Amino acid sequence: MDKRLKEYIRAGGTLGSLAKLPKGRKASAPFPCDPAKVYAKQVDALALRLRRIGAGDVVIGISGGLDSALALLVAVGAYRKLGLPLSGIHAYTMPGFGTTSRTKSNAELLCEGLGLKIETISIAKSVHQHLKDIGHDGKTADVTYENAQARMRTMILMDKANMLGGIVLGTGDMSEIALGWCTYNGDHMSMFGVNSGVPKTIVRKVCKWWAEESRQGSGVRGQESGVRSQKSRGRGMAAKALLDIVATPVSPELVKGQVTEDKIGPYELHDFFIWNFCRNGLERKALYDAAAKRYGDKYGLDVIGRTLDTFLWRIVSQAFKRNCAPDGVRVFSFDFSRESWWIPSDLPTGIL
């Protein structure tokens, strides 16, 4: 056992779920699922939450990316399930320093196709003023420059929810939560995270499934009456926008030209590591060997090794974000809630 880990345990530290990881399991394909069932679980969970708290309004930031698109689809599904008017879904696009015309346009087209209004609130002026107020030059694209944008967006959504008497829907997915790929007290925070139990690769699958079901005119299973009541033009518009969102490289768009997977590695690998580390209990060597066998030809051993190092470092070092995250939806056999899978925030990094 690592010397630092022994000292940590002697000082009263705990390993959390690491101490209860299953032994002897082999690597398996990550997150096997039917996209329709994933979507249905998300819809049911949000509908239950809205019934319990008596909320008739939800607030959601729409970026034109995968996560917010799925969260919006889930909101529409929950409102139809509850028989609530879609006017209770309040969508906002908040362009900042790195927002592209492609994502902004897709956000608007998706909402229009779903029959929803979307309001644009630019954050550029307010973020520039905030950076000036705290003594930042407002030009250097450092972590403060990026995080200020995420926190400004969250403040807008929270205040809008207060004005409406509603709740903010979180859009962050399971992969981002595992890696801490979010801004603490920014997009990290909401009143309910509808994607928190769905990893990035499955978010993409569900969005693609939803688009194809709607484009074919058959309607999304379980919501046929609601979908058929829309004009075919609107349904086609939403499906077209959604398919382009699926094809858009993942990016927080806090700086122009950002591509998340260029920074942290492919989400396909991260989701494989999440599943086989948190569910199957594989350690570093076994994770690397299994990923090399499964993805070696596609990504190469160097990318697999770097991505694994990133995963193991971030899942420990970013635990503090997961340990104070909002409520969310459990879709698979585990999630990152305190009751399911967790590790302490003060666990020494680099021991895995």
Side-chain angles (χ1 to χ4, degrees), residues 2 21 40 68 72 105-106 151 191 207 258 281 290 299 303 321:
D2 183 275
L21 286 174
S68 62
L72 186 66
S105 175
N106 279 335
R151 293 192 177 107
M191 279 85 164
C207 285
Q258 273 185 321
Y299 294 113
V303 170
K321 295 180 182 178

Side-chain angles (χ1 to χ4, degrees), residues 249-328:
V250 176
S251 171
E253 291 194 332
L254 300 172
V255 177
K256 289 188 181 300
Q258 273 185 321
V259 177
T260 298
E261 289 176 300
D262 288 348
K263 182 74 173 180
I264 63 173
Y267 272 115
E268 186 175 29
L269 291 176
H270 282 297
D271 289 354
F272 179 81
F273 295 143
I274 291 169
W275 179 263
N276 285 292
F277 178 72
C278 299
R279 180 183 179 275
N280 290 334
L282 271 64
E283 297 180 351
R284 179 188 291 267
K285 185 179 185 306
L287 286 170
Y288 176 81
D289 290 345
K293 183 177 180 180
R294 186 177 183 88
Y295 301 107
D297 290 341
K298 182 174 183 178
Y299 294 113
L301 299 183
D302 186 51
V303 170
I304 290 172
R306 288 200 311 270
T307 305
L308 177 57
D309 287 342
T310 298
F311 168 76
L312 291 175
W313 184 82
R314 294 193 70 92
I315 201 167
V316 175
S317 68
Q318 302 298 296
F320 72 98
K321 295 180 182 178
R322 296 194 302 273
N323 292 345
C324 62
D327 288 351

Side-chain angles (χ1 to χ4, degrees), residues 4 80 84 90 141 231 265 293 342:
R4 290 172 301 161
R80 288 193 177 125
L84 295 173
H90 304 270
K231 294 180 180 179
K293 183 177 180 180
W342 71 281

